[in-house]
Short mmCIF file of all heavy atoms in Angstrom, two decimals:
data_model
loop_
_atom_site.label_atom_id
_atom_site.label_comp_id
_atom_site.label_asym_id
_atom_site.label_seq_id
_atom_site.Cartn_x
_atom_site.Cartn_y
_atom_site.Cartn_z
N LEU A 609 57.98 24.31 77.34
CA LEU A 609 57.72 24.52 78.77
C LEU A 609 56.44 23.82 79.21
O LEU A 609 56.41 23.18 80.26
CB LEU A 609 57.63 26.02 79.06
CG LEU A 609 58.96 26.77 79.00
CD1 LEU A 609 58.70 28.29 78.92
CD2 LEU A 609 59.83 26.45 80.20
N LEU A 610 55.38 23.94 78.42
CA LEU A 610 54.12 23.28 78.77
C LEU A 610 54.28 21.77 78.80
O LEU A 610 53.77 21.10 79.72
CB LEU A 610 53.03 23.69 77.79
CG LEU A 610 52.54 25.13 77.91
CD1 LEU A 610 51.66 25.50 76.72
CD2 LEU A 610 51.76 25.34 79.20
N HIS A 611 54.99 21.22 77.83
CA HIS A 611 55.21 19.77 77.80
C HIS A 611 56.00 19.34 79.03
O HIS A 611 55.72 18.30 79.65
CB HIS A 611 55.94 19.38 76.52
CG HIS A 611 55.99 17.90 76.30
ND1 HIS A 611 57.00 17.09 76.78
CD2 HIS A 611 55.13 17.05 75.64
CE1 HIS A 611 56.78 15.84 76.42
NE2 HIS A 611 55.66 15.79 75.72
N ASP A 612 56.98 20.14 79.42
CA ASP A 612 57.76 19.86 80.62
C ASP A 612 56.91 19.91 81.88
O ASP A 612 57.18 19.23 82.87
CB ASP A 612 58.93 20.85 80.72
CG ASP A 612 59.92 20.49 81.80
OD1 ASP A 612 60.53 19.39 81.71
OD2 ASP A 612 60.12 21.29 82.75
N ASP A 613 55.84 20.71 81.84
CA ASP A 613 54.90 20.81 82.97
C ASP A 613 53.90 19.64 82.99
O ASP A 613 53.07 19.57 83.89
CB ASP A 613 54.11 22.11 82.87
CG ASP A 613 54.92 23.33 83.27
OD1 ASP A 613 55.87 23.19 84.05
OD2 ASP A 613 54.59 24.44 82.78
N GLY A 614 53.95 18.79 81.98
CA GLY A 614 53.02 17.67 81.90
C GLY A 614 51.79 17.93 81.07
O GLY A 614 50.88 17.10 80.98
N VAL A 615 51.72 19.11 80.41
CA VAL A 615 50.58 19.44 79.57
C VAL A 615 50.72 18.73 78.23
O VAL A 615 51.76 18.84 77.58
CB VAL A 615 50.50 20.97 79.36
CG1 VAL A 615 49.37 21.30 78.39
CG2 VAL A 615 50.31 21.69 80.68
N ARG A 616 49.70 18.02 77.84
CA ARG A 616 49.74 17.28 76.58
C ARG A 616 48.72 17.80 75.56
O ARG A 616 48.73 17.36 74.42
CB ARG A 616 49.51 15.79 76.85
CG ARG A 616 50.59 15.14 77.72
CD ARG A 616 51.94 15.18 77.03
NE ARG A 616 53.01 14.55 77.82
CZ ARG A 616 53.84 15.22 78.61
NH1 ARG A 616 53.72 16.54 78.73
NH2 ARG A 616 54.77 14.59 79.29
N GLU A 617 47.84 18.71 75.98
CA GLU A 617 46.85 19.24 75.06
C GLU A 617 47.49 20.27 74.12
O GLU A 617 48.48 20.92 74.48
CB GLU A 617 45.72 19.95 75.85
CG GLU A 617 44.87 19.00 76.69
CD GLU A 617 45.51 18.76 78.05
OE1 GLU A 617 46.58 19.33 78.34
OE2 GLU A 617 44.91 17.98 78.82
N PRO A 618 46.94 20.42 72.91
CA PRO A 618 47.43 21.46 72.01
C PRO A 618 47.22 22.85 72.61
O PRO A 618 46.39 23.05 73.50
CB PRO A 618 46.57 21.28 70.75
CG PRO A 618 46.07 19.87 70.84
CD PRO A 618 45.89 19.58 72.30
N LEU A 619 47.97 23.81 72.11
CA LEU A 619 47.93 25.20 72.60
C LEU A 619 47.29 26.09 71.56
O LEU A 619 47.70 26.11 70.38
CB LEU A 619 49.35 25.69 72.89
CG LEU A 619 49.52 27.18 73.18
CD1 LEU A 619 48.82 27.56 74.49
CD2 LEU A 619 51.00 27.55 73.26
N ILE A 620 46.25 26.83 71.96
CA ILE A 620 45.75 27.93 71.16
C ILE A 620 46.44 29.18 71.68
O ILE A 620 46.29 29.56 72.85
CB ILE A 620 44.22 28.07 71.30
CG1 ILE A 620 43.55 26.80 70.77
CG2 ILE A 620 43.72 29.29 70.51
CD1 ILE A 620 42.03 26.78 70.97
N HIS A 621 47.24 29.81 70.83
CA HIS A 621 48.10 30.92 71.27
C HIS A 621 47.64 32.20 70.59
O HIS A 621 47.71 32.33 69.37
CB HIS A 621 49.56 30.60 70.90
CG HIS A 621 50.54 31.06 71.88
ND1 HIS A 621 51.89 31.21 71.60
CD2 HIS A 621 50.40 31.42 73.19
CE1 HIS A 621 52.53 31.61 72.69
NE2 HIS A 621 51.64 31.76 73.65
N ASP A 622 47.17 33.15 71.39
CA ASP A 622 46.68 34.41 70.88
C ASP A 622 47.76 35.49 70.99
O ASP A 622 48.61 35.45 71.89
CB ASP A 622 45.45 34.88 71.66
CG ASP A 622 44.26 33.97 71.48
OD1 ASP A 622 44.25 33.18 70.52
OD2 ASP A 622 43.33 34.03 72.31
N SER A 623 47.68 36.46 70.08
CA SER A 623 48.64 37.56 70.09
C SER A 623 48.03 38.81 70.69
O SER A 623 46.83 38.86 71.01
CB SER A 623 49.11 37.87 68.65
OG SER A 623 48.11 38.61 67.97
N VAL A 624 48.84 39.83 70.77
CA VAL A 624 48.40 41.12 71.33
C VAL A 624 47.39 41.81 70.41
O VAL A 624 46.63 42.66 70.86
CB VAL A 624 49.61 42.01 71.62
CG1 VAL A 624 50.26 42.49 70.34
CG2 VAL A 624 49.23 43.17 72.53
N VAL A 625 47.36 41.45 69.10
CA VAL A 625 46.40 42.05 68.18
C VAL A 625 45.21 41.13 67.91
O VAL A 625 44.35 41.46 67.08
CB VAL A 625 47.07 42.47 66.85
CG1 VAL A 625 48.20 43.44 67.09
CG2 VAL A 625 47.53 41.24 66.06
N GLY A 626 45.13 39.99 68.59
CA GLY A 626 44.00 39.10 68.44
C GLY A 626 44.15 38.00 67.42
O GLY A 626 43.23 37.20 67.21
N SER A 627 45.30 37.91 66.74
CA SER A 627 45.53 36.80 65.83
C SER A 627 45.90 35.54 66.62
O SER A 627 46.27 35.62 67.80
CB SER A 627 46.65 37.15 64.83
OG SER A 627 47.82 37.54 65.49
N THR A 628 45.80 34.40 65.97
CA THR A 628 45.93 33.12 66.68
C THR A 628 46.80 32.13 65.91
O THR A 628 46.70 32.01 64.69
CB THR A 628 44.53 32.49 66.90
OG1 THR A 628 43.76 33.37 67.73
CG2 THR A 628 44.63 31.14 67.59
N PHE A 629 47.65 31.42 66.65
CA PHE A 629 48.32 30.22 66.16
C PHE A 629 47.76 29.02 66.91
O PHE A 629 47.45 29.14 68.12
CB PHE A 629 49.84 30.28 66.42
CG PHE A 629 50.61 31.22 65.52
CD1 PHE A 629 51.89 31.63 65.91
CD2 PHE A 629 50.10 31.68 64.34
CE1 PHE A 629 52.63 32.49 65.09
CE2 PHE A 629 50.82 32.56 63.53
CZ PHE A 629 52.10 32.96 63.91
N ARG A 630 47.66 27.90 66.23
CA ARG A 630 47.30 26.64 66.88
C ARG A 630 48.55 25.75 66.86
O ARG A 630 49.11 25.54 65.79
CB ARG A 630 46.12 25.98 66.17
CG ARG A 630 44.83 26.76 66.34
CD ARG A 630 43.65 26.10 65.62
NE ARG A 630 42.42 26.80 65.94
CZ ARG A 630 41.57 26.47 66.94
NH1 ARG A 630 41.84 25.41 67.69
NH2 ARG A 630 40.49 27.17 67.16
N ALA A 631 48.93 25.27 68.02
CA ALA A 631 50.23 24.59 68.13
C ALA A 631 50.10 23.31 68.92
O ALA A 631 49.25 23.17 69.81
CB ALA A 631 51.24 25.53 68.81
N ARG A 632 50.99 22.38 68.58
CA ARG A 632 51.02 21.11 69.30
C ARG A 632 52.41 20.53 69.21
O ARG A 632 53.22 20.90 68.34
CB ARG A 632 50.00 20.14 68.72
CG ARG A 632 50.37 19.59 67.35
CD ARG A 632 49.30 18.69 66.78
NE ARG A 632 49.73 18.05 65.52
CZ ARG A 632 50.25 16.82 65.44
NH1 ARG A 632 50.38 16.09 66.55
NH2 ARG A 632 50.63 16.32 64.29
N VAL A 633 52.68 19.61 70.10
CA VAL A 633 53.91 18.83 70.04
C VAL A 633 53.67 17.68 69.10
O VAL A 633 52.82 16.82 69.34
CB VAL A 633 54.32 18.32 71.43
CG1 VAL A 633 55.49 17.33 71.33
CG2 VAL A 633 54.70 19.49 72.35
N ALA A 634 54.41 17.65 67.98
CA ALA A 634 54.21 16.58 66.97
C ALA A 634 54.84 15.27 67.43
O ALA A 634 54.26 14.20 67.23
CB ALA A 634 54.81 17.02 65.64
N ARG A 635 56.01 15.38 68.07
CA ARG A 635 56.68 14.20 68.56
C ARG A 635 57.78 14.63 69.55
O ARG A 635 58.15 15.80 69.59
CB ARG A 635 57.27 13.35 67.43
CG ARG A 635 58.37 14.02 66.63
CD ARG A 635 58.82 13.13 65.46
NE ARG A 635 59.97 13.70 64.77
CZ ARG A 635 59.90 14.62 63.84
NH1 ARG A 635 58.71 15.08 63.47
NH2 ARG A 635 60.99 15.07 63.24
N VAL A 636 58.25 13.65 70.29
CA VAL A 636 59.32 13.91 71.26
C VAL A 636 60.57 13.15 70.82
O VAL A 636 60.50 11.97 70.48
CB VAL A 636 58.89 13.44 72.67
CG1 VAL A 636 59.99 13.74 73.68
CG2 VAL A 636 57.60 14.13 73.09
N THR A 637 61.69 13.86 70.78
CA THR A 637 62.95 13.25 70.38
C THR A 637 63.95 13.38 71.52
O THR A 637 63.66 14.03 72.55
CB THR A 637 63.54 13.94 69.13
OG1 THR A 637 64.03 15.24 69.50
CG2 THR A 637 62.47 14.08 68.05
N GLY A 638 65.12 12.82 71.36
CA GLY A 638 66.15 12.96 72.37
C GLY A 638 66.65 14.38 72.50
O GLY A 638 67.23 14.76 73.52
N GLU A 639 66.43 15.21 71.48
CA GLU A 639 66.86 16.61 71.50
C GLU A 639 65.82 17.54 72.09
O GLU A 639 66.14 18.64 72.52
CB GLU A 639 67.21 17.07 70.09
CG GLU A 639 68.32 16.31 69.41
CD GLU A 639 68.49 16.77 67.98
OE1 GLU A 639 69.26 17.73 67.75
OE2 GLU A 639 67.85 16.19 67.09
#
């Protein structure tokens, strides 16, 4: 969704208990 919005920066994603994932789009394919 963020990539579709034009966002290209990585995402720091926090949970309800304060844990974190760091995420990014590695590449774009036809799928």
Side-chain angles (χ1 to χ4, degrees):
L609 288 164
L610 289 169
H611 191 270
D612 189 61
D613 285 334
V615 176
R616 297 296 181 264
E617 294 85 1
L619 170 66
I620 299 174
H621 216 198
D622 294 342
S623 78
V624 70
V625 301
S627 55
T628 297
F629 286 162
R630 292 180 174 267
R632 71 183 187 96
V633 172
R635 63 184 186 277
V636 181
T637 73
E639 299 175 88

